[in-house]
Amino acid sequence: MPDSPPAVAPAIEARGVSKAFPGVVANAGVDLRVKKGEVHAILGENGAGKSTLASILAGLYRPDEGEVRVNGEPAHFGSPRDALARGVGMVYQHFRLVERFTVAENVVLGDPHQPLLLSTRRAEKTVAELGEKYGLPVNPRARVEDLSVGEEQRVEIVKMLYRGADVLILDEPTAVLTPQEAENLFETVNAMAAEGKSVIFISHKLSEVLAVSQHVTVMRDGHVVARAETASSDRRSLARAMVGRDVDLSVQRAEEAPGEPLLVLEGLNVAGEGDTVPLRDVSLEVRAGEVVGVAGVSGNGQRSLAEVAAGMRTPTSGRVVVRGVDTTGKGPTAARRAGLAYVPEDRLGTGLAPSLSISENLLLTHPRPFFLKRKQMEATAREAIKQFEIRAPGPDAATRGLSGGNAQKALLARELSDGPEVIVVASPTRGLDVGATQAVREILDRRRRAGCAILLISEDLDEVRSLSDRILVLYEGRIVHETSGEEANVEDLGLAMAGSSEH
Amino acid sequence: MNDAVWVLTLAAAVSAGTPLVFAAVGEILAEKSGVLNLGVEGMMLLGAVTAFLAAAASGSPLVGLLAGTLAGGGLAVVHAFLSVTMRANQIVSGLALVIFGTGLATFLGNPIEGDPLKPGIVDLRIPILADIPVVGRILFDQDPLVYASWLVVALAAFYMTRTRTGLALRACGESPETADAMGLSVARLRYVHVIVGGLLAGAGGAYQILARVPSWSGAGTTAGIGWIALALVVFAAWRPWRALLGAYLFGAALAANFALQAAGVDAIPAEFLSMLPYLLTILVLVILSASSARKRLGAPAALGVPYAREER
C-alpha cells in the first residue's frame, strides 16, 4: 500500500478483495477506503465489478481473497444481516421491498429490536423524523405498490437509516430517477454525509460522479484503475480511465431536412394489459432520415407504444401506417412486410432466442424455405459478424453467451438485414458499455443518413438526446411534451417526465 | 333430540369441514412462506393411518391425534428438503408426496382395513352456549377438536398479521430477496412453515379417522379432501378466517348427500350429490386460476419459486 497509515481508520475499507464467478474474475485485488462523512463514488462501466464489490461490502457475497474492514476492525460478513449489524447498508439497484407491505412494515421487517408483537407506531414516527432530517419525504402508511420509483428509493434509504446504517451503498441509484429526482437524491446524499455518514455512490455516469462525490475510485475489468479527489480531476481523464481509451460520445443529428413521413401513428388508444400501461390518444409521425425520440420514466406506456407500432398489439382505436400501408392490428408480419423493423428492449427475451445460434437467430425473420441451408446460413452469419463487429466465437455460438453489446449487434444485424425503411428501437444501448453504445449509435446514425425513419423509445434521457432530431415525452400513456433535439433541455424534459402539467 | 334435518345437516357440515380447516390453515402457512405444497392429500392419509394405529395400540385417541399430526409433519420435512434445500420443482415434489404418502398409508393400513376404531373422540357439549337454539346445536355440541380448530384459525390469523415472525413469513412469500437482504433466513422460515403446514394436515387426517369415518378404508378414508383443502386456500384468499367459513361451505357440500337422502329427496341420484364438493372445487379453481384473479386475491408473489441468493 502506497498510502501511509491514516490517523483515523476509514469507515469502511476493502483490502485486496478478489471474487471470481465461473468464467469471470469480477474483482481482482481491489482496494477501497472510504472515510467517515465522505461521499465516495465508484465509477466504472457495466461489468467492471462495481456491483460485486458493493455486494461484498454489504455481506451478500463473500470475497475469495482479501478482507473488509469497518472502522479499522476486520469484518467477516456471512450475510447482509451481519453487515447491517456493523452499520453497513446497501440500496440495491433492484429494490428489496415487499410491494404489498406498507412503508412502515418494510422498515421494521427483520429488525431484531422489534418486539414479537408487531408495533409499527415507533417505526412510523422514526420514518417521519428521518424523512424530515434528510429530505426523504415518505408516507409511512402508504403501500409500497402505490409508490413511484423515486419514492420507493426513498423508502429503501430510510429503511437503512432506520436500521442504523453509517455506511450507505447506493448501487446505480439514479438509473430509475428523473433528473429532478436525482437532484433531490444528491441533496439527501450530501445531508447524510454532513451528518457523518459515509456514502458509496456507484455509477457509470461521469456527470453524476462529478456532481456528488468528494472522492472517486475508478474500476475497469475488476481492477481499480484510478483513484482521485473529485475536485481535482476532470471529465476526460476519468472517462479515459473508465473505458481504457479515448471516447467520443458526441451528439449526432441529421444534417439534411427529413423527407416523407414513413411511420404515422394516428390517435392511438391502447388498453393496458397486465403490467403494461395504456396509451391515450397518441399521434406522431416519423419522417425519412429522422430520428424521433420518445423519452419518459419507465412504465409510462413505452412498451405499449413500441408493440403497437410493431404490430404486436392491437389498438382499441387509431391507426398505424407504415410507408402508406395501414398495418393496424394486422400482426408483426404485416408490419414487417410493409418495411418495418422492430428492435425490442428485451434483447434475449423478445429479440433473440437465447439458446439458438447466431446464424439461426438471423434466420428467424425469414422462416423460408422449409429446409434449412446450413452453408448459406453460416455465410450470412459470418458476413453479419464482420459487418456489425460482433465479438463471438463463431456463427454457431448461442446468443445466450454473448455480452449485452454483442447480442444487441446480432439483433440489429437481423432486423436491419432486409433494409427496412422504418425502424422501431427500444432502449438499444441499455446496459451496454461505452464502446458498444458508441457502436450501436453509429449503426442507427448510418441508417438515418440512408433515409430510414427511426422511432427511438428509451427511458435513458442521455440516449434519447444523443440521437434524436425531435423528442417527445410520454407520461402516463400520453405525449405531454414535444421539442426539437437541438432545443431540448434536461430540465424541461425532466419536468415533463415527472408529469408536470405546465407542458 | 328432535332437531330439524337442516340443523343436523349444518352440524354435520361443521364436523365434515373440520379436517379441511386444519389442512387449509396449514397450507396457508406454507404458501405464505412461498412454498406450494400439493402433497396435502398424502400427508392427511398418512396422518389418518398413523392416528388409527397409534390410537388402537394405546387406546387413547389423543395419542392417535398426536401421532397423526407428527406423521404429517414428517412427510412435510421431505417436501421442505426437496423444495427449499434442493430447490426442486414444487409441483413435482408435491405430487410425489401425494403418491408416496398414499402408498405408504395404504401399505401401513393394509392389516386394519375395515376394522372399526374403538376409542373415538367423544363430543363435548359446551354448557350454556349449546343451549342457544339452532346455533348451539350446530356449533357448540361438537367434539373438542372442532373447538381446537377455531383456536388454530385464530392463532394463525393473529400470528400472520400481528407478530414480527408473521411479518417475516409474509415477506418471505412475497419477496424472498427482500427478506434475505433484511437479514432474515428464507430457508429457515420456509422449513418451519412447511413443516407446521404438514403437522396441521396430519392433524386433519387424524381427525378424519378419529371422528369422521367409521374405519380405515385406504385412500377412500380421506377421499380427496386434501385436494379440496388446496382449492380452499385459494378460495379463502390465504386468510385463515375465510378458510374456516369456506371449510364449512365445503363441509355442507360433503354433508348434503346424507341430508337430502334423509329428507327423502331422491330426485337427484346420490352419486351426483357425492360429486358436489369436487365439482365445487373444480369450479373454484377454474374461476380463480386466471392469473389476474390470483394477483387480486393476494396470492404470495413468490409462491412456488425456489429462492437462491443470486450468485450470477
Side-chain angles (χ1 to χ4, degrees):
Chain A
M1 297 288 284
D3 321 53
S4 56
V8 184
I12 190 163
E13 166 176 32
R15 290 190 175 187
V17 161
S18 296
K19 176 81 183 173
F21 293 105
V24 230
V25 176
N27 278 182
V30 172
D31 290 316
L32 175 76
R33 35 183 54 217
V34 181
K35 281 185 284 196
K36 187 172 166 357
E38 83 169 350
V39 181
H40 192 118
I42 302 179
L43 180 69
E45 294 198 310
N46 295 293
K50 306 178 303 261
S51 292
T52 304
L53 178 62
S55 297
I56 289 171
L57 295 178
L60 197 67
Y61 298 155
R62 259 174 263 212
D64 298 338
E65 272 170 48
E67 66 170 0
V68 174
R69 286 179 176 230
V70 177
N71 296 322
E73 303 280 321
H76 303 282
F77 299 146
S79 72
R81 177 207 283 267
D82 300 345
L84 259 180
R86 295 286 293 271
V88 180
M90 171 148 162
V91 174
Y92 296 86
Q93 211 173 343
H94 303 283
F95 300 145
R96 304 296 159 101
L97 291 171
V98 182
E99 295 269 309
R100 254 191 222 141
F101 285 8
T102 65
V103 170
E105 282 174 329
N106 266 290
V107 167
V108 300
L109 180 67
D111 177 8
H113 304 299
Q114 179 67 209
L116 186 60
L117 287 188
L118 209 56
S119 149
T120 49
R121 198 165 305 153
R122 192 175 72 89
E124 283 172 10
K125 206 167 144 253
T126 319
V127 167
E129 285 167 8
L130 288 170
E132 183 87 355
K133 189 166 170 190
Y134 296 110
L136 295 160
V138 278
N139 172 8
R141 296 205 178 154
R143 248 170 230 294
V144 169
E145 60 193 356
D146 300 330
L147 300 182
S148 72
V149 186
E151 287 171 311
E152 288 188 13
Q153 186 177 62
R154 298 207 283 266
V155 177
E156 280 281 38
I157 296 174
V158 165
K159 194 169 86 173
M160 288 303 152
L161 293 173
Y162 177 85
R163 295 291 287 271
D166 291 319
V167 176
L168 253 117
I169 306 167
L170 307 177
D171 191 4
E172 299 274 359
T174 57
V176 293
L177 302 181
T178 65
Q180 278 80 11
E181 284 175 322
E183 256 333 293
N184 292 340
L185 174 70
F186 295 163
E187 278 168 29
T188 299
V189 164
N190 287 328
M192 290 192 294
E195 285 284 321
K197 298 191 183 294
S198 309
V199 180
I200 299 178
F201 189 96
I202 297 175
S203 179
H204 65 271
K205 291 188 180 166
L206 264 174
S207 50
E208 288 175 0
V209 167
L210 292 172
V212 78
S213 69
Q214 280 97 54
H215 272 87
V216 54
T217 295
V218 186
M219 289 183 72
R220 190 173 73 232
D221 295 332
H223 297 265
V224 171
V225 290
R227 252 183 270 266
E229 297 219 3
T230 314
S232 62
S233 51
D234 70 297
R235 223 183 151 84
R236 187 159 290 276
S237 63
L238 287 178
R240 195 181 301 125
M242 174 164 85
V243 186
R245 58 185 159 78
D246 278 313
V247 281
D248 172 29
L249 280 184
S250 54
V251 171
Q252 293 148 343
R253 284 194 225 294
E255 282 144 17
E256 290 169 35
E260 290 292 292
L262 294 181
L263 173 67
V264 180
L265 308 182
E266 266 176 30
L268 285 176
N269 283 286
V270 178
E273 204 177 283
D275 294 340
T276 55
V277 173
L279 287 188
R280 288 175 235 160
D281 199 27
V282 168
S283 299
L284 60 87
E285 55 177 41
V286 190
R287 294 164 172 272
E290 180 188 45
V291 175
V292 172
V294 177
V297 179
S298 164
N300 274 291
Q302 287 94 336
R303 197 153 144 225
S304 305
L305 178 62
E307 290 188 352
V308 80
M312 294 169 70
R313 193 183 265 268
T314 309
T316 46
S317 65
R319 290 202 315 152
V320 179
V321 183
V322 179
R323 290 173 63 221
V325 182
D326 187 333
T327 60
T328 319
K330 290 190 183 141
T333 312
R336 205 172 273 287
R337 281 214 192 101
L340 177 141
Y342 174 42
V343 182
E345 176 181 350
D346 178 15
R347 273 163 231 143
L348 285 180
T350 326
L352 298 166
S355 51
L356 297 189
S357 69
I358 296 176
S359 58
E360 285 164 332
N361 267 292
L362 289 177
L363 198 72
L364 286 179
T365 47
H366 312 95
R368 226 164 288 232
F370 181 74
F371 293 103
L372 302 178
K373 292 178 184 156
R374 286 274 162 199
K375 279 223 177 93
Q376 199 187 317
M377 279 165 65
E378 200 171 298
T380 316
R382 280 192 198 288
E383 176 59 34
I385 288 172
K386 209 172 122 204
Q387 192 193 337
F388 286 85
E389 293 169 342
I390 304 169
R391 259 174 287 166
D396 293 333
T399 49
R400 183 199 306 283
L402 300 180
S403 74
N406 288 309
Q408 184 67 286
K409 288 182 202 163
L411 178 56
L412 282 166
R414 184 186 77 206
E415 290 302 324
L416 304 181
S417 62
D418 285 341
E421 289 186 37
V422 179
I423 305 169
V424 177
V425 276
S427 304
T429 61
R430 184 187 191 148
L432 302 193
D433 60 34
V434 177
T437 299
Q438 199 174 2
V440 168
R441 285 184 188 171
E442 276 169 17
I443 291 169
L444 292 174
D445 187 45
R446 241 176 282 137
R447 291 287 158 162
R448 162 168 56 197
R449 283 166 207 279
C452 287
I454 301 177
L455 181 63
L456 169 70
I457 301 169
S458 175
E459 290 142 24
D460 182 348
L461 202 48
D462 292 342
E463 177 173 43
V464 170
R465 292 192 339 131
S466 68
L467 275 169
S468 304
D469 305 306
R470 278 192 297 134
I471 298 176
L472 311 174
V473 175
L474 199 58
Y475 177 72
E476 290 189 345
R478 278 176 215 281
I479 289 176
V480 293
H481 187 66
E482 178 169 353
T483 170
S484 75
E486 278 135 35
E487 289 162 8
N489 80 58
V490 183
E491 225 153 276
D492 288 349
L493 288 173
L495 284 170
M497 284 161 71
S500 165
S501 51
E502 289 153 68
H503 301 276
Chain B
M1 295 298 273
N2 46 7
D3 294 304
V5 169
W6 67 272
V7 174
L8 290 175
T9 307
L10 288 183
V14 168
S15 177
T18 298
L20 292 173
V21 176
F22 284 113
V25 170
E27 182 68 14
I28 287 174
L29 290 172
E31 292 192 11
K32 274 286 179 185
S33 81
V35 180
L36 178 68
N37 188 351
L38 291 181
V40 182
E41 178 77 2
M43 297 187 295
M44 289 185 88
L45 259 183
L46 193 65
V49 77
T50 314
F52 187 107
L53 293 169
S58 67
S60 154
L62 188 63
V63 171
L65 174 69
L66 283 176
T69 304
L70 288 175
L75 201 49
V77 174
V78 177
H79 186 64
F81 176 74
L82 288 174
S83 56
V84 180
T85 307
M86 305 306 289
R87 299 199 277 273
N89 181 315
Q90 298 179 8
I91 292 177
V92 175
S93 165
L95 292 176
L97 214 61
V98 175
I99 298 166
F100 176 65
T102 310
L104 185 62
T106 317
F107 172 70
L108 292 174
N110 216 13
I112 52 164
E113 185 114 25
D115 292 354
L117 181 64
K118 284 275 160 46
I121 287 178
V122 191
D123 282 1
L124 177 73
R125 212 181 126 84
I126 298 183
I128 307 171
L129 287 178
D131 296 329
I132 304 169
V134 185
V135 177
R137 174 69 192 87
I138 297 172
L139 292 178
F140 301 111
D141 193 4
Q142 298 280 3
D143 58 67
L145 283 181
V146 172
Y147 313 136
S149 72
W150 301 343
L151 196 64
V152 166
V153 168
L155 280 176
F158 183 81
Y159 168 74
M160 276 164 47
T161 53
R162 306 293 303 279
T163 69
R164 185 183 68 204
T165 28
L167 186 73
L169 163 70
R170 287 184 285 136
C172 185
E174 289 291 337
S175 170
E177 306 76 36
T178 304
D180 191 19
M182 296 314 288
L184 299 163
S185 165
V186 174
R188 189 163 69 202
L189 281 162
R190 289 190 167 176
Y191 256 91
V192 167
H193 290 93
V194 169
I195 292 170
V196 170
L199 291 172
L200 287 171
Y207 179 84
Q208 181 77 359
I209 194 124
L210 294 173
R212 296 284 309 153
V213 297
S215 67
W216 172 256
S217 53
T221 310
T222 51
I225 55 174
W227 299 106
I228 297 181
L230 282 168
L232 189 55
V233 170
V234 186
F235 180 77
W238 291 265
R239 291 182 195 165
W241 285 110
R242 283 212 215 168
L244 183 73
L245 289 179
Y248 292 161
L249 181 68
F250 278 93
L254 287 162
N257 191 9
F258 151 80
L260 289 178
Q261 279 179 57
V265 179
D266 51 9
I268 311 166
E271 287 78 4
F272 282 99
L273 288 172
S274 315
M275 292 180 200
L276 203 57
Y278 307 104
L279 289 175
L280 200 54
T281 304
I282 293 172
L283 197 70
V284 167
L285 289 183
V286 167
I287 294 170
L288 302 178
S289 57
S291 61
S292 58
R294 256 178 74 134
K295 199 172 175 191
R296 204 172 53 237
L297 276 167
L303 180 59
V305 187
Y307 175 69
R309 191 179 289 173
E310 182 187 348
E311 280 272 341
R312 290 219 280 207

